[in-house]
Coordinates of all heavy atoms in Angstrom, one line a residue:
M1 N 18.9 123.8 124.6 CA 18.5 123.2 123.4 C 19.7 122.4 122.9 O 20.8 122.8 122.9 CB 18.3 124.4 122.3 CG 16.9 124.5 121.9 SD 16.9 125.8 120.6 CE 15.2 125.8 120.3
R2 N 19.4 121.2 122.3 CA 20.4 120.4 121.8 C 20.6 120.7 120.3 O 19.8 121.5 119.7 CB 19.9 118.9 121.9 CG 19.9 118.4 123.3 CD 19.5 116.9 123.4 NE 19.4 116.6 124.8 CZ 19.0 115.4 125.1 NH1 18.5 114.6 124.2 NH2 18.9 115.1 126.5
R3 N 21.6 120.2 119.8 CA 22.0 120.5 118.4 C 20.8 120.1 117.4 O 20.5 121.0 116.5 CB 23.3 119.7 118.0 CG 23.7 120.0 116.6 CD 24.9 119.3 116.2 NE 25.2 119.5 114.9 CZ 26.4 119.4 114.3 NH1 27.4 119.1 115.1 NH2 26.6 119.6 113.1
G4 N 20.2 119.0 117.6 CA 19.1 118.6 116.7 C 18.0 119.6 116.8 O 17.4 120.0 115.7
E5 N 17.6 120.0 118.0 CA 16.5 121.0 118.2 C 16.9 122.3 117.6 O 16.0 123.0 116.9 CB 16.2 121.1 119.7 CG 15.7 119.9 120.4 CD 15.6 120.0 121.8 OE1 16.2 121.0 122.4 OE2 15.0 119.1 122.4
R6 N 18.1 122.7 117.7 CA 18.6 124.0 117.1 C 18.5 124.0 115.6 O 18.0 124.9 114.9 CB 20.0 124.3 117.5 CG 20.1 124.9 118.9 CD 21.5 125.4 119.2 NE 22.5 124.3 118.9 CZ 23.5 124.0 119.7 NH1 23.7 124.7 120.8 NH2 24.3 123.1 119.3
E7 N 19.0 122.9 115.0 CA 18.9 122.7 113.6 C 17.4 122.7 113.1 O 17.1 123.3 112.1 CB 19.6 121.4 113.1 CG 21.1 121.5 113.2 CD 21.7 120.1 112.9 OE1 21.0 119.2 112.5 OE2 23.0 120.1 112.9
A8 N 16.6 122.1 113.8 CA 15.1 122.0 113.4 C 14.6 123.5 113.5 O 13.7 123.8 112.7 CB 14.4 121.1 114.3
A9 N 14.9 124.2 114.5 CA 14.4 125.5 114.7 C 14.9 126.5 113.6 O 14.2 127.2 113.0 CB 14.8 126.1 116.1
V10 N 16.2 126.3 113.2 CA 16.7 127.1 112.1 C 16.0 126.7 110.8 O 15.7 127.6 110.0 CB 18.2 126.8 112.0 CG1 18.8 127.4 110.7 CG2 19.0 127.5 113.2
R11 N 15.8 125.5 110.5 CA 15.1 125.0 109.3 C 13.7 125.6 109.3 O 13.3 126.0 108.2 CB 15.0 123.5 109.3 CG 16.3 122.9 108.8 CD 16.2 121.4 108.4 NE 17.5 120.8 108.2 CZ 18.1 120.1 109.0 NH1 17.5 119.8 110.2 NH2 19.3 119.6 108.8
A12 N 13.0 125.6 110.4 CA 11.6 126.1 110.4 C 11.6 127.7 110.1 O 10.8 128.1 109.4 CB 11.1 125.9 111.9
V13 N 12.7 128.3 110.7 CA 12.7 129.8 110.4 C 13.0 130.0 108.9 O 12.4 130.9 108.3 CB 13.8 130.4 111.3 CG1 14.1 131.8 110.8 CG2 13.3 130.4 112.7
M14 N 13.9 129.2 108.3 CA 14.4 129.4 107.0 C 13.2 129.0 106.0 O 13.2 129.6 104.8 CB 15.6 128.7 106.7 CG 16.8 129.3 107.4 SD 18.3 128.4 107.1 CE 18.7 128.7 105.4
E15 N 12.3 128.2 106.3 CA 11.3 127.6 105.5 C 10.1 128.5 105.5 O 9.2 128.3 104.7 CB 10.9 126.2 105.8 CG 12.0 125.2 105.4 CD 11.8 123.8 105.9 OE1 10.8 123.6 106.6 OE2 12.5 122.9 105.6
R16 N 10.0 129.4 106.4 CA 8.8 130.4 106.4 C 8.8 131.2 105.1 O 9.8 131.5 104.5 CB 8.9 131.3 107.6 CG 8.6 130.6 108.9 CD 8.6 131.7 110.0 NE 8.9 131.1 111.2 CZ 9.4 131.8 112.3 NH1 9.5 133.0 112.3 NH2 9.7 131.1 113.4
A17 N 7.6 131.7 104.9 CA 7.4 132.6 103.7 C 8.1 133.9 104.0 O 8.1 134.4 105.2 CB 6.0 132.8 103.4
V18 N 8.7 134.5 103.0 CA 9.3 135.8 103.1 C 8.2 136.9 103.4 O 7.2 136.9 102.6 CB 10.2 136.1 102.0 CG1 10.9 137.4 102.1 CG2 11.2 135.0 101.8
A19 N 8.5 137.7 104.3 CA 7.5 138.8 104.6 C 7.5 139.8 103.4 O 8.6 140.1 103.0 CB 7.8 139.4 105.9
P20 N 6.4 140.2 102.9 CA 6.4 141.2 101.8 C 7.0 142.5 102.3 O 6.8 142.9 103.4 CB 5.0 141.4 101.5 CG 4.2 140.9 102.6 CD 5.0 139.9 103.3
V21 N 7.8 143.2 101.5 CA 8.4 144.5 101.8 C 7.6 145.6 101.1 O 7.3 145.5 99.9 CB 9.9 144.5 101.2 CG1 10.5 145.8 101.5 CG2 10.7 143.4 101.8
P22 N 7.2 146.6 101.9 CA 6.5 147.7 101.3 C 7.2 148.4 100.2 O 8.5 148.6 100.3 CB 6.3 148.7 102.5 CG 6.5 147.9 103.7 CD 7.5 146.8 103.3
P23 N 6.6 148.8 99.2 CA 7.3 149.4 98.0 C 8.0 150.7 98.4 O 9.0 151.1 97.8 CB 6.2 149.6 97.0 CG 4.9 149.3 97.5 CD 5.2 148.6 98.8
E24 N 7.4 151.5 99.3 CA 8.0 152.8 99.6 C 9.3 152.6 100.4 O 10.1 153.5 100.6 CB 7.0 153.7 100.4 CG 6.5 153.1 101.7 CD 5.4 152.2 101.6 OE1 4.9 151.9 100.5 OE2 4.9 151.8 102.7
L25 N 9.5 151.4 101.0 CA 10.6 151.2 101.8 C 11.9 151.2 101.0 O 12.9 151.7 101.3 CB 10.5 149.9 102.5 CG 11.7 149.5 103.4 CD1 11.8 150.5 104.6 CD2 11.5 148.1 104.0
Y26 N 11.8 150.7 99.7 CA 12.9 150.7 98.8 C 13.4 152.2 98.5 O 14.5 152.5 98.5 CB 12.6 150.0 97.5 CG 13.7 150.1 96.4 CD1 14.8 149.4 96.5 CD2 13.5 151.0 95.4 CE1 15.8 149.5 95.6 CE2 14.5 151.1 94.4 CZ 15.7 150.3 94.5 OH 16.6 150.5 93.5
A27 N 12.4 153.0 98.1 CA 12.7 154.4 97.8 C 13.3 155.1 99.0 O 14.3 155.8 98.8 CB 11.4 155.1 97.3
A28 N 12.8 154.8 100.2 CA 13.4 155.4 101.4 C 14.8 155.0 101.7 O 15.7 155.8 102.0 CB 12.5 155.2 102.6
A29 N 15.0 153.7 101.4 CA 16.4 153.2 101.6 C 17.4 153.7 100.6 O 18.5 154.1 101.0 CB 16.3 151.6 101.5
V30 N 17.0 153.9 99.4 CA 17.8 154.5 98.4 C 18.2 156.0 98.7 O 19.3 156.4 98.6 CB 17.2 154.4 97.0 CG1 17.9 155.3 96.0 CG2 17.2 152.9 96.5
L31 N 17.2 156.7 99.1 CA 17.4 158.1 99.5 C 18.3 158.2 100.7 O 19.2 159.1 100.7 CB 16.1 158.8 99.9 CG 15.1 159.2 98.6 CD1 13.8 159.7 99.1 CD2 15.8 160.1 97.7
R32 N 18.1 157.3 101.7 CA 19.0 157.4 102.9 C 20.4 157.0 102.5 O 21.3 157.6 103.0 CB 18.4 156.4 104.0 CG 19.2 156.4 105.2 CD 18.5 155.8 106.3 NE 19.2 156.0 107.6 CZ 19.8 155.1 108.3 NH1 19.8 153.8 107.9 NH2 20.4 155.4 109.4
G33 N 20.6 156.0 101.6 CA 21.9 155.6 101.2 C 22.6 156.7 100.5 O 23.8 156.9 100.7
N34 N 21.9 157.3 99.6 CA 22.5 158.5 98.8 C 22.9 159.5 99.7 O 23.9 160.2 99.6 CB 21.5 159.0 97.8 CG 21.4 158.1 96.6 OD1 22.2 157.2 96.4 ND2 20.3 158.2 95.9
R35 N 22.1 159.9 100.8 CA 22.3 160.9 101.8 C 23.7 160.6 102.5 O 24.5 161.4 102.7 CB 21.2 161.1 102.7 CG 21.3 162.3 103.5 CD 20.0 162.6 104.4 NE 18.8 162.1 103.8 CZ 18.0 161.2 104.3 NH1 18.3 160.7 105.5 NH2 16.9 160.8 103.8
L36 N 23.7 159.3 102.9 CA 24.9 158.9 103.7 C 26.2 159.0 102.8 O 27.2 159.4 103.3 CB 24.7 157.4 104.2 CG 23.8 157.2 105.4 CD1 23.5 155.8 105.7 CD2 24.2 158.0 106.6
L37 N 26.1 158.6 101.6 CA 27.3 158.6 100.7 C 27.7 160.1 100.5 O 28.9 160.4 100.4 CB 26.9 157.9 99.4 CG 26.9 156.4 99.4 CD1 26.4 155.9 98.0 CD2 28.2 155.9 99.8
R38 N 26.7 160.9 100.3 CA 27.0 162.4 100.1 C 27.7 162.9 101.4 O 28.6 163.7 101.3 CB 25.7 163.1 99.8 CG 25.9 164.5 99.2 CD 24.5 165.2 98.8 NE 23.4 164.8 99.7 CZ 22.4 164.1 99.1 NH1 22.3 163.9 97.8 NH2 21.4 163.8 99.9
R39 N 27.2 162.6 102.5 CA 27.8 163.1 103.8 C 29.2 162.6 103.9 O 30.1 163.3 104.3 CB 27.0 162.6 105.0 CG 25.7 163.4 105.2 CD 24.9 163.0 106.4 NE 23.7 163.6 106.6 CZ 22.8 163.3 107.5 NH1 23.0 162.2 108.3 NH2 21.6 163.9 107.5
R40 N 29.4 161.3 103.6 CA 30.8 160.8 103.7 C 31.7 161.5 102.8 O 32.8 161.8 103.0 CB 30.8 159.3 103.4 CG 30.2 158.5 104.5 CD 30.3 157.0 104.2 NE 29.6 156.2 105.1 CZ 29.4 154.9 105.1 NH1 29.7 154.3 104.0 NH2 28.8 154.3 106.0
R41 N 31.2 161.7 101.5 CA 32.0 162.4 100.4 C 32.4 163.8 100.9 O 33.5 164.3 100.8 CB 31.3 162.5 99.1 CG 32.1 162.9 98.0 CD 31.4 162.9 96.7 NE 30.5 161.8 96.5 CZ 29.1 162.0 96.3 NH1 28.6 163.2 96.1 NH2 28.3 160.9 96.1
V42 N 31.4 164.5 101.6 CA 31.7 165.9 102.0 C 32.7 165.9 103.1 O 33.6 166.7 103.3 CB 30.4 166.6 102.4 CG1 30.6 167.9 103.1 CG2 29.5 166.9 101.1
A43 N 32.4 164.9 104.1 CA 33.3 164.8 105.2 C 34.8 164.5 104.8 O 35.8 165.1 105.3 CB 32.9 163.8 106.2
R44 N 34.9 163.6 103.8 CA 36.2 163.2 103.3 C 36.9 164.4 102.6 O 38.1 164.7 102.9 CB 36.1 162.1 102.3 CG 37.4 161.4 101.9 CD 37.3 160.3 101.0 NE 36.3 159.2 101.6 CZ 35.3 158.8 101.0 NH1 34.9 159.2 99.8 NH2 34.5 157.9 101.6
R45 N 36.2 165.2 101.8 CA 36.7 166.4 101.2 C 37.1 167.4 102.2 O 38.1 168.0 102.1 CB 35.7 166.9 100.2 CG 35.7 166.1 98.9 CD 34.7 166.7 98.0 NE 34.5 165.9 96.7 CZ 33.7 166.0 95.9 NH1 32.7 167.0 95.9 NH2 33.6 165.3 94.8
A46 N 36.3 167.6 103.3 CA 36.6 168.5 104.3 C 37.9 168.2 105.1 O 38.7 169.0 105.3 CB 35.5 168.7 105.3
L47 N 38.0 166.9 105.3 CA 39.3 166.4 106.0 C 40.5 166.6 105.1 O 41.5 166.9 105.6 CB 39.1 164.9 106.5 CG 38.2 164.7 107.7 CD1 38.0 163.2 107.9 CD2 38.7 165.4 108.9
W48 N 40.4 166.3 103.8 CA 41.6 166.5 102.9 C 41.9 168.0 102.9 O 43.1 168.4 102.9 CB 41.2 166.0 101.5 CG 41.6 164.6 101.3 CD1 40.7 163.5 101.2 CD2 42.9 164.0 101.4 NE1 41.4 162.4 101.1 CE2 42.7 162.6 101.2 CE3 44.2 164.5 101.5 CZ2 43.9 161.8 101.1 CZ3 45.2 163.7 101.4 CH2 45.1 162.3 101.2
L49 N 40.9 168.9 102.8 CA 41.1 170.3 102.8 C 41.8 170.8 104.1 O 42.7 171.6 104.1 CB 39.8 171.1 102.6 CG 39.9 172.6 102.5 CD1 40.7 173.0 101.2 CD2 38.5 173.1 102.5
L50 N 41.3 170.2 105.3 CA 41.9 170.5 106.5 C 43.4 170.1 106.6 O 44.3 170.8 107.1 CB 41.1 169.9 107.7 CG 41.6 170.2 109.1 CD1 41.5 171.7 109.4 CD2 40.8 169.4 110.1
A51 N 43.6 168.9 106.1 CA 45.0 168.3 106.1 C 45.9 169.2 105.2 O 47.1 169.5 105.6 CB 45.0 166.9 105.6
C52 N 45.4 169.6 104.0 CA 46.2 170.4 103.2 C 46.5 171.8 103.8 O 47.6 172.3 103.7 CB 45.5 170.6 101.8 SG 45.5 169.1 100.8
A53 N 45.5 172.4 104.4 CA 45.7 173.7 105.1 C 46.7 173.5 106.2 O 47.5 174.4 106.5 CB 44.3 174.2 105.6
A54 N 46.7 172.4 107.0 CA 47.6 172.2 108.0 C 49.0 172.1 107.5 O 50.0 172.7 108.1 CB 47.2 171.0 108.9
V55 N 49.2 171.4 106.4 CA 50.5 171.3 105.8 C 51.0 172.6 105.3 O 52.2 172.9 105.4 CB 50.5 170.2 104.6 CG1 51.7 170.2 103.8 CG2 50.3 168.8 105.2
L56 N 50.2 173.3 104.7 CA 50.5 174.7 104.2 C 50.9 175.6 105.3 O 51.9 176.3 105.3 CB 49.4 175.3 103.3 CG 49.7 176.6 102.8 CD1 50.8 176.6 101.8 CD2 48.4 177.2 102.2
A57 N 50.1 175.6 106.5 CA 50.4 176.4 107.6 C 51.8 176.0 108.2 O 52.6 176.9 108.6 CB 49.3 176.3 108.6
F58 N 52.0 174.7 108.3 CA 53.3 174.3 108.9 C 54.4 174.6 108.0 O 55.5 175.1 108.5 CB 53.2 172.7 109.0 CG 54.6 172.1 109.5 CD1 54.9 172.3 110.8 CD2 55.4 171.6 108.7 CE1 56.2 171.8 111.3 CE2 56.7 171.1 109.0 CZ 57.1 171.2 110.4
T59 N 54.3 174.6 106.7 CA 55.3 175.0 105.8 C 55.7 176.4 105.9 O 56.8 176.8 105.9 CB 54.9 174.6 104.4 OG1 54.6 173.2 104.3 CG2 56.1 174.9 103.3
V60 N 54.6 177.3 105.9 CA 54.9 178.7 106.1 C 55.5 179.0 107.5 O 56.5 179.8 107.5 CB 53.5 179.5 105.9 CG1 53.7 180.9 106.4 CG2 53.0 179.3 104.5
W61 N 55.1 178.4 108.5 CA 55.7 178.6 109.8 C 57.1 178.1 109.9 O 58.0 178.8 110.3 CB 54.9 177.8 110.9 CG 55.6 177.8 112.2 CD1 55.7 178.7 113.1 CD2 56.5 176.7 112.7 NE1 56.5 178.4 114.2 CE2 57.0 177.1 113.9 CE3 56.9 175.5 112.2 CZ2 57.8 176.4 114.7 CZ3 57.7 174.8 112.9 CH2 58.2 175.1 114.2
A62 N 57.4 177.0 109.3 CA 58.8 176.5 109.2 C 59.7 177.4 108.4 O 60.9 177.6 108.8 CB 58.8 175.0 108.7
A63 N 59.2 177.9 107.3 CA 60.0 178.8 106.5 C 60.3 180.1 107.2 O 61.4 180.7 107.1 CB 59.3 179.1 105.2
E64 N 59.3 180.6 108.0 CA 59.6 181.8 108.8 C 60.4 181.6 110.1 O 61.3 182.4 110.4 CB 58.2 182.5 109.1 CG 57.5 183.0 108.0 CD 58.3 184.2 107.3 OE1 58.8 185.1 108.1 OE2 58.3 184.3 106.1
A65 N 60.1 180.6 110.8 CA 60.7 180.3 112.2 C 62.1 179.7 112.1 O 62.9 179.8 112.9 CB 59.8 179.6 113.0
R66 N 62.3 179.0 111.0 CA 63.5 178.1 110.8 C 63.9 177.4 112.1 O 64.9 177.7 112.7 CB 64.7 179.0 110.4 CG 64.4 179.7 109.0 CD 65.6 180.5 108.6 NE 65.3 181.1 107.3 CZ 65.8 180.7 106.2 NH1 66.7 179.8 106.2 NH2 65.5 181.4 105.1
P67 N 63.1 176.4 112.5 CA 63.4 175.7 113.8 C 64.6 174.9 113.7 O 65.1 174.5 114.8 CB 62.1 174.9 114.0 CG 61.5 174.7 112.6 CD 61.9 175.9 111.9
W68 N 65.1 174.6 112.6 CA 66.3 173.7 112.5 C 67.6 174.5 112.6 O 68.7 174.0 112.9 CB 66.3 173.1 111.0 CG 66.3 174.0 109.9 CD1 67.4 174.7 109.3 CD2 65.2 174.6 109.3 NE1 66.9 175.5 108.4 CE2 65.6 175.4 108.3 CE3 63.8 174.3 109.4 CZ2 64.7 176.1 107.5 CZ3 62.9 175.0 108.6 CH2 63.4 175.9 107.6
A69 N 67.5 175.9 112.6 CA 68.7 176.7 112.7 C 68.9 176.8 114.2 O 68.0 177.1 115.0 CB 68.5 178.0 112.1
E70 N 70.2 176.8 114.6 CA 70.5 177.0 116.0 C 70.5 178.5 116.4 O 71.0 179.3 115.8 CB 72.0 176.5 116.2 CG 72.3 176.4 117.7 CD 73.7 175.7 117.9 OE1 74.0 174.8 117.1 OE2 74.4 176.2 118.7
S71 N 69.7 178.7 117.5 CA 69.6 180.1 117.9 C 70.8 180.5 118.8 O 71.5 179.6 119.3 CB 68.4 180.2 118.8 OG 68.4 179.4 119.9
P72 N 71.2 181.8 118.8 CA 72.4 182.2 119.5 C 72.2 182.0 121.0 O 71.1 182.1 121.5 CB 72.5 183.7 119.2 CG 71.2 184.1 118.7 CD 70.5 182.9 118.1
S73 N 73.3 181.6 121.6 CA 73.2 181.4 123.0 C 73.1 182.7 123.8 O 73.7 183.7 123.5 CB 74.5 180.7 123.5 OG 74.5 180.5 124.9
R74 N 72.3 182.6 124.9 CA 72.0 183.9 125.6 C 72.6 183.8 127.1 O 72.5 184.6 127.9 CB 70.6 184.2 125.7 CG 70.0 184.4 124.4 CD 68.5 184.8 124.5 NE 68.0 185.0 123.1 CZ 66.8 185.2 122.8 NH1 65.9 185.4 123.8 NH2 66.3 185.3 121.6
T75 N 73.3 182.7 127.3 CA 73.7 182.4 128.7 C 75.2 182.9 128.8 O 75.7 183.1 130.0 CB 73.7 180.9 129.1 OG1 74.5 180.2 128.1 CG2 72.3 180.4 129.0
S76 N 76.0 183.1 127.8 CA 77.3 183.6 127.9 C 77.6 184.5 126.8 O 77.0 184.5 125.7 CB 78.3 182.4 127.8 OG 78.2 181.7 126.5
P77 N 78.5 185.5 127.1 CA 78.8 186.5 126.0 C 79.5 185.8 124.8 O 80.1 184.8 125.0 CB 79.7 187.5 126.7 CG 80.3 186.7 127.8 CD 79.3 185.6 128.2
P78 N 79.4 186.4 123.6 CA 80.0 185.8 122.5 C 81.5 185.9 122.6 O 82.1 186.7 123.3 CB 79.6 186.8 121.4 CG 79.1 188.0 122.0 CD 78.6 187.7 123.3
V79 N 82.2 184.9 122.0 CA 83.6 184.8 122.1 C 84.2 185.7 121.1 O 83.9 185.8 120.0 CB 84.0 183.3 121.8 CG1 85.6 183.2 121.8 CG2 83.4 182.4 122.7
T80 N 85.2 186.5 121.6 CA 85.9 187.4 120.7 C 87.3 187.1 120.6 O 87.8 186.4 121.5 CB 85.8 188.9 121.1 OG1 86.3 188.9 122.5 CG2 84.3 189.4 121.2
G81 N 88.0 187.5 119.5 CA 89.5 187.2 119.4 C 90.3 187.8 120.4 O 90.0 188.9 120.9
R82 N 91.5 187.3 120.9 CA 92.3 187.9 122.0 C 93.5 188.6 121.3 O 94.2 188.4 120.5 CB 92.8 186.8 122.9 CG 91.7 186.4 123.8 CD 92.2 185.4 124.8 NE 91.0 184.8 125.5 CZ 91.1 184.3 126.7 NH1 92.2 184.3 127.3 NH2 90.0 183.9 127.2

């Protein structure tokens, strides 16, 4: 198809009458949209709750395990004064 033919085809499509939309389709679309928004909101809240629980669990573990403290060496005996 050449450019002129494509433009003519596009004009023909755009000039057609708009197909009527069934009235129940609007209500169904609104219900589906509300359902999708509710699911997204619940999923977002669940992820935030999971993230907060993970931060809390890490904080409790770090407070108990103290991974930043150096553990005593077990490969050689402790140095004593002579």
Side-chain angles (χ1 to χ4, degrees):
M1 245 185 185
R2 293 184 182 169
R3 181 179 174 157
E5 294 172 351
R6 283 190 305 227
E7 288 177 1
V10 168
R11 281 193 190 101
V13 169
M14 292 177 68
E15 290 174 356
R16 285 188 208 157
V18 178
V21 177
E24 65 274 0
L25 184 62
Y26 173 76
V30 168
L31 287 175
R32 184 167 189 245
N34 286 339
R35 193 176 327 122
L36 287 172
L37 288 175
R38 193 174 33 238
R39 284 182 185 172
R40 285 181 186 169
R41 190 178 323 124
V42 168
R44 192 177 303 123
R45 285 181 182 168
L47 287 175
W48 272 110
L49 182 64
L50 181 65
C52 290
V55 167
L56 181 66
F58 176 77
T59 303
V60 169
W61 169 81
E64 290 295 318
R66 297 182 182 252
W68 58 87
E70 189 174 323
S71 60
S73 175
R74 296 180 186 182
T75 57
S76 60
V79 177
T80 57
R82 291 184 186 203

